[in-house]
Amino acid sequence: MTRIMGVLNVTPDSFSDGGRWASTDAAIAHGLELAQQGADIVDVGGESTRPGAERVPVPAELGRVLPVVRELAAAGIRVSIDTMNSETAAAALDAGAQIVNDVSGGLADPAMGPLVAERDVDYVAMHWRGHSRTMNDLARYTDAAREIREELFRRVDELERQGVARRRIIVDPGLGFAKNSEHNWDVLRHLREFESAGLPMLLGASRKRFLADLMWVGATPQDRDLPSAVIAALAARDGVWGVRVHDVVSTRIALDVVRSWSGSGDDDRMEP
Ligand code: PMM
């Protein structure tokens, strides 16, 4: 069954929920709420990756995420740490995180691959071309889905060369990262091809900008939860391992519809 990864951005400036969970207490309370609503994983991040965002120094990132990771892990929640920094990943693993979610797929910090190899933990490798400040300029493709897939699987090969076990790698096409709306839709259209290598896949469409094109003028990021849930359902039918979402409630309902529709409860294509 497709897993739900609930987004917990402990940042003042995230793309769609910036500032809402910036205090430690509010973040912990929201993380517990996400789990209670049915998130299988809570993804804790302390650095915004919205287009144009500036980097956050590692000590500030650590200060934001560690108390939250520690508390949620102690409550028995499966926590992933959303970071490009190996130092933050290592500290979060020590604090009880079980998955490293790296939007740069190991490109931002050359020490990330070796760390994940040494700790032997699950690792989300996302397709990425460069930091947020410049990524919109890097959204140039002639055959988007194919090029993104090839670049992503070259990363997987490199990570394996660095000692990361293949069974630990979860791939993510990185919707919105160095991709415009048309590139995102092209990826979604070709989702199954990303799974042809047999690796589990995570998809993060939730509340992203490209969904605004489908909405009415003045719609808020929260209004994008409906198209986000529809995408989660379609992606589940396409066999994705997990979806990274802000609104767990609507996603849970969407995935329950898929499960009921498929009849058996579980569609075996959904298993990694
Ligand atoms: N998107 C964002 C942050 N982290 N991680 C993965 N694996 N995949 C994504 O698509 C992804 C991510 C940016 O979205 P947010 O600012 O709304 O959290």
Side-chain angles (χ1 to χ4, degrees):
M1 186 59 200
T2 302
R3 290 144 193 80
I4 298 180
M5 178 186 272
V7 177
L8 183 51
N9 288 322
V10 194
T11 57
D13 60 341
S14 257
F15 168 70
S16 59
D17 56 356
R20 286 196 68 193
W21 324 113
S23 86
T24 302
D25 288 349
I28 292 167
H30 187 54
L32 294 170
E33 185 186 28
L34 291 170
Q36 199 248 331
Q37 290 171 338
D40 302 290
I41 302 160
V42 173
D43 188 41
V44 180
E47 177 175 358
S48 168
T49 49
R50 82 186 146 71
E54 293 296 330
R55 298 300 314 273
V56 175
V58 170
E61 187 189 24
L62 287 171
R64 290 175 184 178
V65 297
L66 284 188
V68 180
V69 169
R70 202 171 289 121
E71 232 12 79
L72 297 181
I77 295 171
R78 191 169 164 80
V79 173
S80 59
I81 177 70
D82 186 346
T83 186
M84 292 180 260
N85 298 311
S86 60
E87 200 182 328
T88 306
L93 293 170
D94 292 341
Q98 296 179 43
I99 302 173
V100 176
N101 174 25
D102 178 0
V103 298
S104 83
L107 282 170
D109 180 349
M112 186 65 100
L115 170 82
V116 173
E118 187 211 319
R119 300 292 189 100
D120 194 27
V121 288
D122 290 336
Y123 178 67
V124 179
M126 202 191 80
H127 175 266
W128 185 87
R129 281 186 166 183
H131 286 288
S132 300
R133 205 158 44 77
T134 58
M135 70 180 175
N136 284 349
D137 301 331
L138 303 170
R140 297 188 199 291
Y141 306 88
T142 46
D143 184 349
R146 188 179 54 76
E147 288 165 52
I148 291 162
R149 201 177 69 240
E150 286 172 3
E151 287 172 25
L152 182 57
F153 284 98
R154 272 203 294 279
R155 278 314 302 155
V156 170
D157 291 345
E158 177 54 28
L159 288 161
E160 286 193 80
R161 261 195 295 279
Q162 294 175 356
V164 179
R166 194 174 171 82
R167 69 184 162 80
R168 289 300 200 180
I169 300 176
I170 297 151
V171 292
D172 183 330
L175 296 176
F177 287 79
K179 292 161 200 84
N180 65 27
S181 294
E182 195 36 58
H183 302 142
N184 292 333
W185 290 115
D186 196 49
V187 166
L188 291 171
R189 224 171 274 135
H190 293 89
L191 217 46
R192 284 177 190 241
E193 290 159 34
F194 280 79
E195 294 165 304
S196 58
L199 290 178
M201 187 169 68
L202 178 71
L203 191 72
S206 178
R207 293 189 186 171
K208 286 200 173 151
R209 232 304 332 160
F210 75 112
L211 301 175
D213 302 343
L214 305 170
M215 315 284 299
W216 56 94
V217 176
T220 65
Q222 281 85 341
D223 290 327
R224 299 176 199 164
D225 287 338
L226 175 57
S228 303
V230 174
I231 289 178
L234 293 169
R237 294 273 285 187
D238 268 357
V240 300
W241 172 89
V243 287
R244 180 183 180 279
V245 298
H246 300 83
D247 188 49
V248 169
V249 172
S250 60
T251 308
R252 183 88 271 159
I253 294 167
L255 295 182
D256 284 348
V257 170
V258 175
R259 209 190 35 215
S260 301
W261 185 305
S262 69
S264 60
D266 272 16
D267 180 337
D268 51 9
R269 278 181 299 107
M270 291 176 193
E271 291 303 323

